[in-house]
Amino acid sequence: ESIAGGAVGFSTSRILLHVVPDGRYVPGTLAPIDEYLAVADGMNAAGGGLFQAVNDFATKGAHEFTLLKEMAGACGDVLFSGGVGNSGRGGLDVFGRFLEQESGNAGRITLATMTRPSGSLCGLAQISPVKGKQWKALMQLPTIEARVAALKDPATRARLVEEGKEKGMWYDPNFIHPLGVGDSPEYHEAGGMSIADHAAALGVHPVEFVIDRLIESDGRELFNTWFFNRATDAMGELLTLDHVYPGLADTGAHAGQICDADASTHYLTYWQRTRNAVSLPEAVRRLTSFPASVLGLKERGTLAVGQYADINVFDIDRLASQHPEYVNDFPGGKGRLMVKSRGYAATIVNGTIVTEQGKHSGERPGRVIREFARA
């Protein structure tokens, strides 16, 4: 019924990190392959649908690859999430080999991957750099300005440092990187200094380094926690493989924790302009017609007579991500992280200008798409 009503397809999570509040795994985590094949039958009966998965490669990789192959054969189009991993070439070799082996078989399998190390942002907005009573009390102050003022108080600072030394950072400081306060965030795609490295160079504890940076930036600086894609040396090669979409991004599910809404901008500015890992036409193809084809979008993804005029106009030399910022524009005054960019002259939807020089025009010509091209 969902497919007949316009759903893109069926999505499932199988990683063990995803649990409901009482600790149980989310539905699908331990589902057998037969159950997914039954879902494919239902999608096919209504015209076909895309199968998308976040797989448990950590504990049962062989089984997950079998699931992807079975579903590619059953429903034609499969999209799954993956990356280079956190050390060596493991992720690159495993995913690259799988995609190469399966490219000629029944069904199309596409890997969506991140364009940088990522996972969560901590600072004074929502995720505290340290987990503990003193830091929790700090984060309960009503504004970032009030939290910075508390950091400047010698007695409060001493308590926060003591708790940080006792409990440690909220994550390994070797894998937390400052984004800086320059015109654009520093994502350290080639490694770079973590807060542990900075602290060691200065002869201070990582918590002291973080507090000093937060004071210097008036509480604006954020720190990128690398849960995923720490094997930065392999990232460029993975992004150039066939059947890899460079835009896996967490832009809404964890609204106060991370915002990768600029993943496409980052791909263009770093991997195309800075590293020249891909030509500009090929980079645009991977962000437009390629994902449009994977999703089954009709008459979209290329500039051609008769197609819908959905267009981004940008200046590659001016293009840049801006720093994530925390805004309270959710219902009830709740907050989220937001990322803006520079260098986009216009975004056009079906011929109507929606944004111009980064400002919304007030026009809302978009419509929900309910029909898709399916294998």
Side-chain angles (χ1 to χ4, degrees), residues 149-210:
L151 291 179
K152 293 179 179 179
D153 176 70
T156 302
R157 178 194 175 103
R159 290 195 298 270
L160 294 171
V161 171
E162 181 182 1
E163 187 172 56
K165 289 180 177 179
E166 176 188 349
K167 294 183 175 294
M169 305 294 293
W170 90 291
Y171 197 76
D172 187 337
N174 289 290
F175 305 126
I176 306 177
H177 289 246
L179 292 186
V181 292
D183 290 339
S184 295
E186 300 169 7
Y187 281 109
H188 300 108
E189 303 87 344
M193 292 178 67
S194 67
I195 63 172
D197 297 328
H198 282 285
L202 295 171
V204 299
H205 191 276
V207 174
E208 295 176 285
F209 169 77
V210 167

Side-chain angles (χ1 to χ4, degrees), residues 33 55 97 120 145 152 156 159 170 185 274 294 296 306 310 335:
I33 291 178
N55 299 87
R97 186 164 54 249
S120 181
E145 290 76 16
K152 293 179 179 179
T156 302
R159 290 195 298 270
W170 90 291
T274 301
V294 171
D310 296 345

Side-chain angles (χ1 to χ4, degrees), residues 239-324:
L239 288 167
T240 62
L241 295 180
D242 292 336
H243 313 293
V244 171
Y245 166 61
L248 176 62
D250 205 334
T251 58
H254 308 95
Q257 175 180 315
I258 189 69
C259 184
D260 294 317
D262 64 326
S264 298
T265 301
H266 179 263
Y267 176 68
L268 289 168
T269 56
Y270 182 74
W271 292 107
Q272 196 288 313
R273 187 180 65 199
T274 301
R275 290 283 295 270
N276 200 28
V278 62
S279 69
L280 183 56
E282 174 61 11
V284 170
R285 184 194 73 83
R286 286 187 181 244
L287 295 174
T288 54
S289 61
F290 177 41
S293 175
V294 171
L295 291 173
L297 301 183
K298 295 182 177 180
E299 300 178 312
R300 289 174 172 86
T302 59
L303 294 176
V305 174
Q307 299 232 29
Y308 293 94
D310 296 345
I311 305 165
N312 271 320
V313 183
F314 65 91
D315 180 347
I316 188 63
D317 294 323
R318 291 186 57 244
L319 204 61
S321 296
Q322 294 185 250
H323 282 268

